[in-house]
Amino acid sequence: MADNEEEEADEMLPELDEDEDEEEEEAEEEEHEDAMADTTAIKEVQDKTFEEVKFSDRIIEEVQNSWASFTKQASSREAAAEAIYSALFDSAPSLQGLFKTPRAVMSIRILNGFATIVGSMATPGPLKTSVETLGFQHLDLEVTVPRVVIFRDAVIDLLEMELEVGFTSKAKAGWMSLLNYVGGAFIYVRVNYSERLKIIAASWAVANNKKNDELQGMDGDEEGEEKPEGAEGEEGEEEDEEEKAEEENHANRKTAEKGELNEEQDGEGGGGKSRTMKVPTTFNEMFTFNSAVMGFGSSLWMSEILDVFDDIVKNVSNSYRLQETCDTLGVTLAKYKGSINLAEFKAVMLASLRSLVPKDWGTGHEVAWSWLWDNVERMLKALTGKPQVMERGLERFILSLTEDSVNYLRRELYKRFFALAPAGQDFFKQSTTRLYWIADRVVELTIEMYRDPKKMVNDLSALGLRHVGYGVLTEFFAPYVSGAVEVVRSMTTEENAQEGFKWSLSLMGRILVRTINEGSTIVMKAVNNNSEKTLRKAVAVAPRGRRAMWMLNITVGTQSISPLYWAIESGSLNTANAMIKDLLVIRADRENYYYGCHDLFERHPDIIQRLCADAPALLWTLFNGLIWRSRITTQGERRVNYYVKHLLQDKDGKFSPTLDWLVQNKDPKIVCHPVVTFFSDLVWNRVANMKFLFGWLYVMFTLVVFILSQSVLQHIAGGQKTQSVRIATFLCRCFIYIGSLGQFLRSQVQQLREDCRERRFFEVGPLKIPEYLSSVKQIACLLLLVCLVLLMIQEPSFHCLGSKAPASRDGNLVGNATTDSTDDSIYGLFTQECPEGRSTKEAYKTISMLAMSLYWFLLTDLTIFSMSISAYALVIGRVLSEVGLFLGALVFLIGTFSTSVSVLAHQSPMFEGVPRSALSLYEIALGMFDTAHFAFSQRDGTLAIALCAYVIVTTIFLLQLLIAQLNGAYTAHYDDMVGYARLNRGKVIVITMQSVSQKRWGKFLKSLRLDEKLEFNEGDIGLAGGIQVLEPANLHPTRVDSIVRFGGSTSPAMQWPEDNSGAADDEDDKYERLQKQLSRISKKADDAMAGGKKPNKTGVSSMGGSGSHGSSSQDEDE
């Protein structure tokens, strides 16, 4: 009986579970019906009206909580974006043609769009503005009620699948109401405003002689700016609109040319005087002309509106941006002292547009442009008179702040911010003093916004772009502004101060958020993650004609940021390395070659300098990308293209500072790179070497003259100093004192003056020494200058001028004359043998010897003509430090033993006293000591032992150690000596090129024909900017064509086909996604079994890669 009862109980359990499930489903349906019964719920898509809507607090809380849970549950923002995209994309196959933007870009836009509208639910005004802006971005899409329903249900199914029990009935009702409101608004905006916006865009393009698509921000032309949800509609205008714009442009140009010609003819016919008048052809020119004709030339405020009118027209469909521009313009106009009548601007504007667009201008144009200006005028009038009052109130508040109140503001701001946005505590990791400094800057900028709004907009745009690199979440700005405003309200009761601070800070926050959203591209996200794989995926969706600029430039307003430079600055060197590789890959279709070298150096002409300073390891990647080698060999040789145009010349055609940057970097390895070797040797052999040699010919000539005067003429004819010899010697020395000494003196004074003027010094202890003396060569030149000055002072011939003594008829001296001689005959002409001359001769000879050595030392610069000789000379210099250490140890030992043996009582005269002992020990160390003198030491055993110890330490140990040190130093330095030799030559090239004329340099560049395209292989005309050479086939063997070629479409707007080289990474990604998907399924099954529930029937989560198909039937019905 017991067994039967247990079996019956087991059979009853499934039935009870089914009953419980049915009850739960009925309860959920009742709750959903109750939620939809809410007066604020929008049950259907409302496409007939578009007004502000206020949701209940409960609905808002549920929707925002569900959105926060969904984004938090995803592993990253990208994963959440991908899940939404997949759900929408898979919801209806027939609608997949609407998704024209690259998936990686589109998914982030959709996520940002949802975040914007969910975040604005609590404020009806901003919510309406956000939805209206999104509607303007979807004007070119055929949004219908059935399609809205499909997308709405796909999103709700996704949230139900991901959040399960966390997605309550109120949350579902709230999402349904919100999406119905958004979808209906899209339809309403498209029906009511689409034609007006098209008219404005087309006529504005004609008025400014621009193509219409330049005003539309086409997806294929620019890397997806992070605009909110879905910008599939940004594909430009229809072809017929573009054709009309082109026809209008052509007609206007013809009219202008005809007008100018008629004016010229009239001038010629009227007295021969030309009265050519330039006919306005752009809106700004025509507006200026009409304002003067209509009597508004003195209304200077119009120029302020005219400066931003282009932004107003371009952003007419972006309500947020239009409001921001009008707010900034309103503050600017508040500075104007006279009266402002905005209707006058409208009159001049319409008159100018009628003149520039005469062909198609009609009632539709009048209505559209009047509608635009009425909106702008409404925004400007709403702000009239307020900025001055708010500025004064805010200024009084800031001036009243004491130190205690400032500290209170700092503390309370972050206290309230962290209370409003707890996640901000994880982001703000800086020290408290840094956070306080940020708070102080925020307060300062609020008043600066009133004083100089134009400068502030530029500064905030630059600041926003830097925050893009920091990866700042825009969700933090709203609570930061709210916290700051609450603190100010608690500190003052003056309404103008409160309102002024709130308005200024809100405007700053909007500018920063907009800048970050527009600048937060998928490339910048890859940089922030420092992921080479993510970067490859990001640029893979770029149009081939814009791929390079995606990695080199992001522009927001007047400010721009380079993702490549930001990667280098932020230390994301993996991404930077991948960018440089991608830029310098040669890609080709049937019509064009694409190579980012030119774009890279045009955008960043100082890229070499930046890499030398911040990322020297990337120089190898950069230089490797400037070489192309053919895999085909002909007669044992292969073609090699070196693309060195930008390494040779700057944008002005002058000698590029690239070599100077590499020399200053002092890396002996990078200067041995084939590219650096090629272009530096090219400049040296073709331009610099002869210029350098000519500069040294004079020094070599002065050395020859100096040798003649000091070493040769003195020993001619057995030392007999005839009058001709004396004259020749005197003339040679005068040439040295005037020509050589003067040259060195001028050079030293110039360099000293430049260093003093530029304040370039280096310190040696307490002394400040001019920087040019940091060079050994310059020190040698200074010493030689001093020696020549001393030689001139000590010159015996000068001292003997006027001295009297007997002389023979041939001019030779007779005997040893003295100053006491009473003979009136003079010494020989230019003699050196007078008593005064003989007294200075010894010092003169010594100084002359030093000068001769310095002359020869300077000539070692000529070793750069041969890299092997130069490297050998540098090796000698490098190992001299080891010899110095040896000599220091030897001096120490000689001092030790000389003082020690002097203490002993011995009979050896060679070791008596410290000086004599030191000299003897020095001779022993050099092997110059006579062994016969050791007999004296045998009589004294102590002296013999001391000398034996000295010989062992110096001759056996110290000398052998010196040999080992020299060997080790030579081995350590030799590998880099060629590099150091090239650095030395590079420095000489840089200095020499400063004296090369621009004419000669231009002739050299012309001979290189850098603007001519080079062949890759026979008949394959490739890229310009390089030089082709032939190298032995076995020097750098390669079997792979370094040019990546693709078939298919050749349109620059198309992205490159998928590269199979990343297949391995894709397989890894698929494996990782599969693992995550299986793990999620297993977890859900375990939770369902543990909770007594069935697994979710809707299937696998779209975050794992698949989407919801629950609404496919609706699409089929459609």
Side-chain angles (χ1 to χ4, degrees):
M1 290 292 294
D3 293 340
N4 293 334
E5 289 178 358
E6 290 178 1
E7 291 177 359
E8 292 177 359
D10 292 338
E11 292 176 356
M12 290 292 293
L13 282 175
E15 297 178 1
L16 292 174
D17 290 340
E18 292 179 0
D19 293 340
E20 290 177 0
D21 290 343
E22 291 176 359
E23 292 176 1
E24 289 178 1
E25 291 177 0
E26 291 176 358
E28 289 178 358
E29 290 178 358
E30 292 177 359
E31 290 179 4
H32 178 65
E33 291 175 359
D34 294 340
M36 291 302 295
D38 191 339
T39 57
T40 62
I42 302 176
K43 302 177 182 179
E44 302 294 338
V45 177
Q46 303 293 332
D47 59 340
K48 304 303 181 183
T49 60
F50 180 40
E51 303 293 339
E52 293 183 1
V53 61
K54 180 174 176 59
F55 295 97
S56 66
D57 295 339
R58 180 63 176 168
I59 290 291
I60 294 172
E61 182 181 359
E62 290 291 338
V63 171
Q64 292 180 342
N65 288 342
S66 61
W67 176 252
S69 301
F70 171 75
T71 55
K72 186 176 181 180
Q73 183 173 322
S75 58
S76 64
R77 286 173 56 84
E78 288 74 14
E82 176 65 23
I84 299 175
Y85 185 95
S86 298
L88 297 176
F89 189 80
D90 297 338
S91 60
S94 63
L95 302 183
Q96 293 179 358
L98 300 177
F99 294 81
K100 300 176 183 178
T101 307
R103 185 173 186 131
V105 177
M106 193 68 255
S107 60
I108 293 296
R109 288 183 184 175
I110 295 173
L111 182 73
N112 289 339
F114 275 113
T116 301
I117 59 177
V118 171
S120 304
M121 281 188 69
T123 51
L127 175 62
K128 182 177 183 292
T129 303
S130 300
V131 174
E132 184 181 39
T133 301
L134 293 174
F136 284 135
Q137 294 173 0
H138 289 75
L139 288 176
D140 286 344
L141 295 179
E142 188 179 354
V143 182
T144 61
V145 174
R147 289 181 174 181
V148 172
V149 172
I150 292 173
F151 278 63
R152 178 198 68 192
D153 293 345
V155 173
I156 293 175
D157 288 346
L158 171 68
L159 295 174
E160 282 184 326
M161 184 188 309
E162 294 296 337
L163 302 181
E164 298 178 343
V165 294
F167 193 61
T168 64
S169 59
K170 285 190 176 294
K172 182 176 180 180
W175 274 100
M176 184 170 292
S177 299
L178 179 62
L179 294 177
N180 284 338
Y181 175 68
V182 173
F186 284 6
I187 300 173
Y188 181 86
V189 169
R190 183 174 183 273
V191 171
N192 290 275
Y193 298 120
S194 176
E195 191 62 30
R196 291 181 183 179
L197 294 177
K198 287 182 179 181
I199 290 174
I200 291 173
S203 55
W204 186 248
V206 174
N208 288 279
N209 288 330
K210 295 179 180 178
K211 289 185 178 181
N212 195 31
D213 56 9
E214 291 179 0
L215 298 171
Q216 295 301 319
M218 296 177 64
D219 265 332
D221 289 340
E222 292 197 23
E223 196 224 341
E225 296 175 353
E226 297 295 59
K227 296 179 180 178
E229 177 190 0
E232 300 95 335
E234 298 179 18
E235 299 296 331
E237 298 292 329
E238 300 294 333
E239 291 184 3
D240 56 343
E241 294 288 346
E242 294 182 2
E243 292 175 0
K244 289 180 181 180
E246 285 299 314
E247 292 175 1
E248 290 289 345
N249 290 340
H250 183 70
N252 287 340
R253 285 193 293 271
K254 290 291 185 182
T255 303
E257 292 172 1
K258 183 176 180 181
E260 292 179 5
L261 180 60
N262 291 337
E263 290 290 339
E264 290 178 0
Q265 291 175 349
D266 292 343
E268 291 174 0
K273 293 183 180 180
S274 175
R275 296 182 297 138
T276 302
M277 181 183 70
K278 182 180 180 181
V279 177
T281 57
T282 65
F283 178 80
N284 284 9
E285 294 173 356
M286 185 63 74
F287 187 94
T288 304
F289 175 78
N290 284 335
S291 63
V293 171
M294 297 171 70
F296 303 136
S298 60
S299 300
L300 301 180
W301 58 270
M302 287 189 177
S303 62
E304 298 292 345
I305 302 179
L306 191 61
D307 289 341
V308 299
F309 196 67
D310 185 62
D311 290 337
I312 291 174
V313 176
K314 289 180 179 178
N315 295 297
V316 63
S317 61
N318 188 336
S319 303
Y320 269 120
R321 182 66 189 278
L322 184 62
Q323 182 67 58
E324 176 193 314
T325 303
C326 291
D327 285 346
T328 308
L329 177 60
V331 179
T332 303
L333 293 179
K335 301 293 182 182
Y336 187 72
K337 301 299 182 182
S339 61
I340 297 177
N341 186 357
L342 296 176
E344 295 175 355
F345 186 93
K346 178 181 179 181
V348 179
M349 174 194 73
L350 292 176
S352 302
L353 289 169
R354 293 189 196 105
S355 301
L356 292 169
V357 194
K359 186 176 180 181
D360 291 330
W361 188 267
T363 305
H365 290 75
E366 291 281 348
V367 172
W369 283 99
S370 298
W371 168 74
L372 167 63
W373 181 250
D374 290 343
N375 287 333
V376 173
E377 187 174 352
R378 173 176 49 82
M379 295 179 187
L380 293 176
K381 285 185 176 180
L383 199 60
T384 301
K386 294 181 180 180
Q388 303 94 319
V389 178
M390 292 188 295
E391 179 183 0
R392 288 193 293 269
L394 181 58
E395 188 173 9
R396 285 193 298 270
F397 167 72
I398 293 176
L399 292 176
S400 67
L401 292 176
T402 63
E403 185 176 353
D404 291 339
S405 59
V406 169
N407 290 330
Y408 170 80
L409 188 151
R410 294 167 174 170
R411 292 192 305 271
E412 284 296 312
L413 191 157
Y414 288 101
K415 180 179 179 181
R416 302 193 185 199
F417 168 63
F418 292 145
L420 293 172
Q425 300 182 62
D426 298 328
F427 182 81
F428 283 93
K429 302 175 183 178
Q430 299 92 338
S431 64
T432 303
T433 55
R434 172 68 177 175
L435 297 182
Y436 285 176
W437 179 85
I438 294 175
D440 293 342
R441 284 292 296 156
V442 167
V443 175
E444 293 174 9
L445 293 178
T446 55
I447 192 65
E448 286 297 324
M449 177 59 74
Y450 293 103
R451 294 172 178 171
D452 194 350
K454 291 183 179 179
K455 179 177 179 296
M456 278 300 300
V457 169
N458 290 333
D459 292 346
L460 289 172
S461 297
L463 180 64
L465 286 176
R466 289 200 298 274
H467 280 70
V468 171
Y470 301 145
V472 177
L473 298 178
T474 55
E475 289 84 352
F476 291 147
F477 284 92
Y480 192 94
V481 171
S482 299
V485 171
E486 290 177 7
V487 175
V488 171
R489 283 178 177 170
S490 67
M491 297 176 65
T492 180
T493 57
E494 185 179 354
E495 292 185 3
N496 290 332
Q498 295 177 4
E499 189 62 25
F501 183 82
K502 175 185 176 182
W503 187 89
S504 178
L505 189 58
S506 298
L507 178 58
M508 290 165 51
R510 280 183 284 147
I511 294 174
L512 287 173
V513 169
R514 187 256 307 168
T515 305
I516 293 174
N517 284 336
E518 292 180 2
S520 296
T521 64
I522 52 179
V523 173
M524 288 299 292
K525 287 180 171 61
V527 171
N528 293 335
N529 295 330
N530 193 22
S531 171
E532 183 175 348
K533 184 193 303 183
T534 306
L535 176 73
R536 287 200 302 270
K537 291 181 178 180
V539 298
V541 299
R544 61 188 65 178
R546 298 281 302 171
R547 184 177 180 123
M549 296 313 297
W550 275 34
M551 294 177 280
L552 295 175
N553 188 41
I554 297 174
T555 302
V556 178
T558 60
Q559 301 296 319
S560 63
I561 188 174
S562 168
L564 174 60
Y565 267 22
W566 182 257
I568 296 172
E569 183 179 339
S570 62
S572 301
L573 297 187
N574 289 338
T575 309
N577 185 64
M579 285 184 184
I580 295 175
K581 284 182 179 179
D582 191 274
L583 286 168
L584 299 180
V585 170
I586 302 176
R587 297 179 177 86
D589 52 35
R590 293 186 304 276
E591 294 184 0
N592 300 303
Y593 282 97
Y594 295 87
Y595 185 39
C597 175
H598 180 73
D599 292 329
L600 174 60
F601 282 96
E602 282 289 316
R603 177 70 174 92
H604 300 305
D606 61 339
I607 181 65
I608 304 295
Q609 183 184 32
R610 189 63 177 270
L611 292 180
C612 287
D614 298 331
L618 300 185
L619 285 170
W620 287 93
T621 303
L622 175 62
F623 289 139
N624 288 338
L626 300 180
I627 305 175
W628 172 84
R629 287 189 171 89
S630 174
R631 62 185 178 86
I632 301 174
T633 61
T634 305
Q635 297 180 354
E637 293 180 323
R638 76 172 72 248
R639 299 186 187 205
V640 181
N641 293 351
Y642 291 94
Y643 292 95
V644 294
K645 175 181 178 180
H646 298 284
L647 304 183
L648 286 170
Q649 66 180 70
D650 59 16
K651 61 180 181 180
D652 298 323
K654 299 179 180 179
F655 180 62
S656 171
T658 297
L659 187 58
D660 188 22
W661 295 330
L662 293 173
V663 170
Q664 293 178 15
N665 189 41
K666 298 179 181 179
D667 185 353
K669 291 184 170 27
I670 194 63
V671 293
C672 292
H673 191 281
V675 168
V676 182
T677 301
F678 176 79
F679 89 84
S680 61
D681 285 350
L682 186 67
V683 175
W684 171 254
N685 294 327
R686 298 277 298 275
V687 182
N689 61 351
M690 296 307 296
K691 186 74 175 178
F692 174 75
L693 183 60
F694 289 153
W696 275 95
L697 284 178
Y698 183 76
V699 178
M700 290 169 21
F701 176 71
T702 57
L703 175 59
V704 171
V705 173
F706 191 66
I707 293 173
L708 285 174
S709 66
Q710 306 296 334
S711 303
V712 177
L713 293 177
Q714 300 295 323
H715 302 285
I716 290 180
Q720 293 294 324
K721 297 180 178 56
T722 63
Q723 183 171 339
S724 59
V725 171
R726 293 198 303 274
I727 293 174
T729 302
F730 182 79
L731 292 177
C732 289
R733 292 183 179 180
C734 286
F735 174 79
I736 294 297
Y737 299 146
I738 296 174
S740 184
L741 188 150
Q743 179 196 26
F744 285 117
L745 179 61
R746 181 172 59 86
S747 175
Q748 293 290 314
V749 170
Q750 285 180 348
Q751 294 182 83
L752 178 62
R753 183 177 58 189
E754 290 178 4
D755 282 351
C756 292
R757 184 174 61 246
E758 301 294 334
R759 306 237 177 233
R760 297 193 298 253
F761 299 97
F762 67 95
E763 295 183 357
V764 178
L767 300 178
K768 288 187 176 181
I769 301 175
E771 187 179 19
Y772 82 96
L773 290 178
S774 60
S775 168
V776 176
K777 175 190 171 184
Q778 293 300 331
I779 294 175
C781 290
L782 179 61
L783 293 176
L784 181 56
L785 173 62
V786 173
C787 289
L788 292 178
V789 171
L790 293 177
L791 285 176
M792 186 174 65
I793 295 173
Q794 298 291 330
E795 175 58 48
S797 299
F798 293 161
H799 286 275
C800 291
L801 291 176
S803 296
K804 296 182 178 181
S808 62
R809 291 184 179 179
D810 61 359
N812 292 328
L813 292 174
V814 178
N816 296 324
T818 65
T819 56
D820 295 334
S821 174
T822 58
D823 198 319
D824 292 333
S825 63
I826 62 172
Y827 285 97
L829 185 62
F830 303 133
T831 183
Q832 303 175 28
E833 299 302 327
C834 68
E836 293 87 349
R838 284 196 294 270
S839 64
T840 62
K841 184 174 290 188
E842 187 65 30
Y844 182 85
K845 295 293 184 182
T846 303
I847 298 172
S848 180
M849 180 190 70
L850 294 175
M852 188 72 71
S853 302
L854 291 171
Y855 264 117
W856 283 104
F857 175 77
L858 292 178
L859 288 184
T860 56
D861 275 1
L862 296 177
T863 58
I864 65 169
F865 280 93
S866 170
M867 285 295 97
S868 57
I869 297 176
S870 181
Y872 179 75
L874 289 172
V875 168
I876 294 174
R878 295 282 175 171
V879 300
L880 280 178
S881 59
E882 308 300 330
V883 178
L885 293 174
F886 166 77
L887 293 177
L890 182 61
V891 170
F892 176 79
L893 290 175
I894 290 175
T896 301
F897 280 93
S898 62
T899 53
S900 299
V901 298
S902 298
V903 177
L904 298 176
H906 55 77
Q907 302 299 320
S908 175
M910 305 304 296
F911 297 96
E912 291 182 355
V914 175
R916 191 70 184 89
S917 298
L919 179 59
S920 299
L921 293 173
Y922 177 72
E923 292 175 350
I924 292 173
L926 298 182
M928 301 168 58
F929 192 75
D930 190 352
T931 56
H933 296 307
F934 282 111
F936 293 97
S937 63
Q938 294 176 0
R939 303 172 187 174
D940 192 330
T942 305
L943 178 60
I945 293 173
L947 292 178
C948 288
Y950 173 77
V951 170
I952 292 172
V953 173
T954 56
T955 306
I956 298 177
F957 173 72
L958 206 58
L959 284 175
Q960 300 303 320
L961 179 60
L962 173 63
I963 295 172
Q965 284 180 305
L966 292 177
N967 184 45
Y970 180 84
T971 303
H973 291 296
Y974 183 75
D975 291 340
D976 292 334
M977 280 307 103
V978 174
Y980 284 114
R982 288 203 166 275
L983 283 173
N984 192 25
R985 175 184 281 186
K987 185 176 182 180
V988 171
I989 292 174
V990 171
I991 296 173
T992 304
M993 290 302 297
Q994 295 175 1
S995 60
V996 174
S997 66
Q998 188 62 31
K999 181 179 180 181
R1000 184 181 178 189
W1001 175 248
K1003 185 178 180 181
F1004 164 70
L1005 289 179
K1006 187 177 181 180
S1007 68
L1008 297 178
R1009 296 183 293 183
L1010 294 173
D1011 294 329
E1012 294 184 8
K1013 293 183 178 181
L1014 302 178
E1015 277 191 338
F1016 286 121
N1017 289 308
E1018 188 174 0
D1020 185 7
I1021 306 300
L1023 299 161
I1027 300 172
Q1028 186 171 101
V1029 297
L1030 297 175
E1031 69 176 19
N1034 60 355
L1035 188 60
H1036 297 96
T1038 179
R1039 297 182 179 178
V1040 179
D1041 188 0
S1042 57
I1043 301 176
V1044 183
R1045 301 182 183 273
F1046 297 93
S1049 173
T1050 61
S1051 171
M1054 295 292 293
Q1055 64 192 51
W1056 290 110
E1058 186 176 357
D1059 189 359
N1060 293 329
S1061 62
D1065 293 334
D1066 293 340
E1067 292 297 328
D1068 292 341
D1069 292 342
K1070 291 178 181 178
Y1071 180 72
E1072 291 178 5
R1073 288 198 298 269
L1074 180 60
Q1075 273 190 323
K1076 292 179 181 179
Q1077 186 173 341
L1078 293 175
S1079 175
R1080 189 178 293 111
I1081 293 173
S1082 176
K1083 181 180 178 181
K1084 288 182 178 181
D1086 293 343
D1087 293 342
M1089 295 300 293
K1093 290 182 60 179
K1094 298 178 182 178
N1096 196 303
K1097 298 179 181 179
T1098 50
V1100 179
S1101 165
S1102 62
M1103 286 197 192
S1106 63
S1108 171
H1109 300 272
S1111 301
S1112 59
S1113 59
Q1114 296 186 38
D1115 180 62
E1116 295 298 324
D1117 294 340
E1118 182 187 357

